[in-house]
Amino acid sequence: MRYPIDFLKKRNLTLNSICFFLLLLIASPVHSQTLTVGGSNWTVSVPSITEAGTNYAGTYESATNQILLTASVPLLLGTGKVSVRYVANPTWNNALTLNIRRTGNGTTVCLLCTITGGTTYQPITTSDVELFRIAAVLALATYNNIPLQLELTGVSVTVPAAAYNSRIVFTIGAL
């Protein structure tokens, strides 16, 4: 069967458009999620004990915006999960517990996107623990300056005096 040349050109153009769109969709960085960490180091100031028989307060909190995250979740990903863990740097005492919470949503221009979870303190462990989720609906979900607060518990005279350090690691991934 013979087709008019105009029909073949239109069919070829449509096929090319579809192939180009699929190639763009597959090769595009739209599939990747990003996470940027800002803020400053937190040094806990533990007051000296001046009277026999007393103990430390035991719990210390950082500023409510000690850590600022910027996270992006593309539309095609749907939902991104932000996780957290710590790495002893170089030593950590297991009597000490480092906790984290999200104290705000940060800023976004995405009207239908949501950020959920992580508003109550949860322990940071050496394994990834989900902190919060971001859902992208009909647009790229980018949240800037998501404020996080740290809490240190377990400070006591029974914990040997030393300089304990840890490094907090954040990851973002698809669900």
Side-chain angles (χ1 to χ4, degrees), residues 97-114:
T97 303
L98 197 54
N99 301 307
I100 192 166
R101 72 175 175 166
R102 181 174 57 85
T103 58
N105 292 342
T107 58
T108 186
V109 294
C110 183
L111 298 176
L112 299 175
C113 299
T114 59

Side-chain angles (χ1 to χ4, degrees), residues 69-165:
L69 295 182
T70 296
S72 295
V73 178
L75 168 66
L76 296 175
L77 180 62
T79 302
K81 174 179 76 168
V82 176
S83 299
V84 62
R85 65 182 166 92
Y86 83 88
V87 176
N89 187 25
T91 60
W92 189 255
N93 188 299
N94 289 334
L96 301 172
T97 303
L98 197 54
N99 301 307
I100 192 166
R101 72 175 175 166
R102 181 174 57 85
T103 58
N105 292 342
T107 58
T108 186
V109 294
C110 183
L111 298 176
L112 299 175
C113 299
T114 59
I115 183 169
T116 57
T119 56
T120 58
Y121 277 120
Q122 59 190 44
I124 304 173
T125 66
T126 56
S127 300
D128 281 334
V129 176
E130 181 178 323
L131 182 57
F132 60 86
R133 292 180 184 193
I134 296 175
V137 180
L138 301 177
L140 172 69
T142 299
Y143 283 85
N144 297 303
N145 296 320
I146 303 166
L148 303 176
Q149 184 176 26
L150 298 171
E151 177 188 59
L152 179 67
T153 63
V155 178
S156 170
V157 293
T158 61
V159 175
Y164 298 107
N165 293 292

